[in-house]
């Protein structure tokens, strides 16, 4: 049985009735069943019947992930897998909404109170244009999407929904605070660049600040900012940081063109932001990172590994998110040459590289860490998720040259 971290409760999460808790547990377990029970069946189905049928029809074996999709998409086993996966995703958000609605007024008042505890700034402009690649659809099927609409600007409900829903989505694999990506990149910095002590840090596409807070923990003296195009997300992020005892700044800003001054940050990071943008936005974001960094400053983007690092069948499996989980840029982003983009933005070519930041939760487990509410570490079995083949997060690192 899956046995991962339980989510750490804090003042910005709704309490759960026993019925809500069991619905959420079911949604999480169904997702686990899809991954562990149904997914492994795709390989024998492909090799045993879909690939031979494709070869018979086309007089050649399937080669690319697109060929494999054409071969698989009519197969009843694949259709069963894809439909169940989609249903589990929709069920997951649905299982959280009742508690968010039931505690709406209480959570709004908690947000006021918790935000007041955070001495960091909260910047929400009166007018803001959310890019179409975020506003046009409910990304990964979350009702309301990341930005909601005008009426959601002061409301934190979407942030609450995301905080709890993403814990279920990751099935607990990103730790009790859903912060494994930020924590893993921090561990990477600590291990590989112990001399690096950034004074100003920017986390782009921070959503509710899951990955932002570990930077304040590692560099308590630093001024840390999280920005996102989703107003309800940064409002929630500011309150959540207050609830967890952090003083961190949050702002509704577009990473393509922020309001910060040239050369004003030592470290600019993002965690699974890039695949939520677009082919036009990504180069602009790289250029903005370059503009914002002081000479010698570092850019680190933790995201999905490029497709050229994996075989076409694995590409096909991962690309299912593009087709069935409202993630239009998911596959296309993995085809882009990010090294070339970073070079074009001006980063020192000798410093641009992909690397792996080992997942912090796996390191905890090895060290015998046990979250209060989780059962014994010995019973946990950590396997790398699809985001992190080989047990780590893929990070793109680039440095702005000292002379730039
Ligand atoms: C998958 S979430 C990021 C998760 C978060 N970084 C974490 O580690 O928990 C992607 C976020 O990027 C935001 N986003 C997309 N395009 C953006 C842009 N151009 N500028 C700032 N935020 C953006 C979305 O609103 C969304 O909140």
């Amino acid at each position: 049985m899956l046995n991962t971290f339980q989510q750490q409760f804090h003042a910005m999460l709704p309490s759960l009735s026993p019925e809500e808790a069991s619905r959420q547990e079911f949604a999480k377990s169904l997702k686990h069943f899809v991954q562990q029970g149904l997914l492994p069946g795709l390989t024998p189905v492909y090799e045993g019947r879909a690939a031979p049928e494709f070869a018979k029809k086309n007089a050649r074996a399937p080669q690319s992930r697109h060929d494999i999709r054409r071969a698989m998409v009519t197969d009843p086993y694949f259709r069963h897998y894809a439909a169940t996966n989609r249903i589990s995703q929709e069920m997951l958000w649905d299982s959280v909404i009742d508690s968010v609605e039931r505690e709406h007024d209480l959570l709004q008042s908690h947000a006021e109170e918790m935000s007041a505890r955070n001495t960091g700034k909260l910047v929400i402009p009166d007018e803001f244009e959310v890019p179409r690649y975020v506003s046009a659809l409910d990304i990964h099927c979350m009702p309301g999407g990341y930005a909601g609409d005008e009426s959601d600007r002061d409301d934190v409900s979407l942030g609450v929904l995301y905080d709890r829903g993403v814990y279920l989505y990751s099935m607990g694999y990103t730790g009790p605070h859903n912060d494994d990506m930020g924590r893993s990149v921090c561990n990477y910095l600590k291990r590989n660049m112990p001399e690096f002590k950034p004074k100003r840090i920017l986390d782009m596409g921070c959503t509710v600040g899951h990955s932002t807070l570990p930077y304040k923990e590692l560099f308590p003296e630093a001024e840390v900012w999280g920005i996102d195009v989703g107003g309800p997300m940064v409002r929630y992020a500011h309150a959540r940081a207050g609830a967890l005892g952090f003083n961190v700044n949050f702002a509704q800003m577009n990473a393509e063109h922020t309001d910060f001054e040239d050369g004003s940050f030592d470290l600019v990071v993002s965690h699974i932001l890039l695949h939520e943008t677009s082919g036009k936005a990504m180069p602009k974001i790289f250029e903005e990172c370059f503009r914002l960094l002081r000479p010698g400053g570092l850019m680190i983007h933790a995201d999905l590994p490029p497709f050229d690092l994996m075989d076409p069948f694995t590409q096909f499996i991962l690309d299912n998110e593009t087709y069935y989980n409202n993630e239009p840029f998911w596959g296309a982003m993995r085809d882009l040459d990010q090294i070339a983009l970073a070079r074009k933005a001006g980063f020192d070519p000798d410093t641009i590289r992909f690397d792996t930041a080992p997942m912090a939760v796996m390191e905890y487990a090895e060290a015998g860490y046990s979250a209060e509410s989780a059962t014994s570490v010995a019973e946990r079995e950590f396997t790398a998720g699809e985001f992190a083949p080989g047990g780590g997060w893929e990070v793109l690192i680039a440095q702005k040259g000292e002379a730039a």
Side-chain angles (χ1 to χ4, degrees), residues 133-134 146 205 207 210-211 228-229 253-255 271-273 276:
Y133 51 80
V134 172
Y146 285 118
T207 319
H210 286 149
S211 297
D228 201 283
V229 292
M253 274 191 212
N254 188 333
H271 314 82
I272 56 172
L273 158 72
E276 306 288 30

Side-chain angles (χ1 to χ4, degrees), residues 131 133-134 140 146-147 162 178 181-182 203-212 227-230 233 253-256 270-273 275-277 281 285:
Y133 51 80
V134 172
H140 50 58
Y146 285 118
Y162 179 86
N178 278 331
M181 275 175 293
D203 180 19
M204 292 175 153
C206 64
T207 319
V208 298
H210 286 149
S211 297
T212 321
I227 61 164
D228 201 283
V229 292
M233 296 299 166
M253 274 191 212
N254 188 333
E256 294 175 54
S270 81
H271 314 82
I272 56 172
L273 158 72
H275 77 266
E276 306 288 30
T277 64
I285 292 174

Side-chain angles (χ1 to χ4, degrees), residues 119-317:
T119 60
K121 295 193 183 84
L122 172 63
V123 182
I124 311 239
D126 289 339
E127 291 196 2
F128 186 84
E129 194 181 335
V130 177
R132 232 187 98 63
Y133 51 80
V134 172
S135 65
L137 75 175
D138 289 350
I139 294 181
H140 50 58
C141 305
M142 185 174 100
Y146 285 118
D149 57 35
E150 273 301 298
S151 63
D152 294 320
R153 285 169 70 84
D154 290 324
D155 199 297
V156 291
S157 303
L158 284 175
V160 185
L161 179 61
Y162 179 86
D163 197 353
R164 182 62 186 163
V166 97
Y167 162 77
L168 302 175
Y169 176 74
S170 66
M171 298 174 292
Y173 282 111
T174 52
H177 292 291
N178 278 331
D179 63 357
D180 190 67
M181 275 175 293
R183 203 163 276 290
S184 304
V185 176
C186 282
N187 285 352
Y188 180 91
L189 285 170
K190 218 168 17 179
R191 199 173 298 124
N192 296 294
M193 298 167 210
E195 305 303 318
F196 184 54
K197 300 271 185 272
K199 294 195 186 76
R200 278 191 103 216
I201 301 169
L202 174 62
D203 180 19
M204 292 175 153
C206 64
T207 319
V208 298
H210 286 149
S211 297
T212 321
L213 302 191
Y215 291 89
K216 187 67 180 173
E217 209 176 294
L218 179 60
F219 302 110
E221 305 302 322
E223 182 181 321
V224 177
W225 282 86
I227 61 164
D228 201 283
V229 292
M233 296 299 166
V234 290
R235 189 172 287 285
Y236 180 84
H238 193 265
R240 175 180 175 272
L244 292 169
F246 285 89
N247 295 318
V248 171
N249 309 280
F250 289 94
Q252 185 180 26
M253 274 191 212
N254 188 333
E256 294 175 54
H257 43 80
T258 70
D259 297 341
F260 299 112
E261 286 178 15
D262 291 4
S264 55
F265 286 94
D266 307 286
L267 174 64
V268 178
V269 294
S270 81
H271 314 82
I272 56 172
L273 158 72
L274 298 178
H275 77 266
E276 306 288 30
T277 64
S278 73
K280 280 192 184 146
M282 245 177 87
K284 291 188 195 156
I285 292 174
F286 280 38
E287 283 161 20
E288 183 66 358
C289 291
F290 186 79
R291 182 185 76 77
L292 290 174
L293 284 168
R294 61 149 173 89
L298 267 189
M299 165 177 95
I300 304 183
H301 296 292
D303 211 298
L304 310 168
F307 271 149
D308 59 10
L309 293 182
M310 58 191 82
D311 62 85
F313 189 74
T314 310
Q315 293 179 21
F316 153 72
I317 301 280

Side-chain angles (χ1 to χ4, degrees), residues 361-376:
V361 287
M362 294 174 103
E363 297 184 38
Y364 284 165
E366 277 158 25
Y369 170 89
S370 177
E372 263 170 37
S373 49
T375 45
S376 97

Side-chain angles (χ1 to χ4, degrees), residues 317-394:
I317 301 280
L318 299 189
D319 209 16
N320 282 326
E321 293 283 304
T322 309
Y323 291 85
Y324 310 119
N325 198 13
N326 285 6
E327 291 276 12
F329 196 44
W330 181 280
M333 178 258 176
R334 295 184 193 220
D335 277 334
L336 286 181
D337 184 346
Q338 296 178 52
I339 302 265
L341 281 184
R343 200 178 295 142
K344 198 152 175 252
F347 287 92
D348 176 354
D350 294 340
T351 65
I352 306 170
R353 64 196 183 279
F354 277 108
D355 205 347
T356 302
M359 286 177 85
V361 287
M362 294 174 103
E363 297 184 38
Y364 284 165
E366 277 158 25
Y369 170 89
S370 177
E372 263 170 37
S373 49
T375 45
S376 97
V377 165
E379 287 174 43
R380 287 201 202 106
E381 194 188 314
F382 287 100
T383 50
E386 60 176 31
F387 296 129
W393 301 100
E394 197 70 21

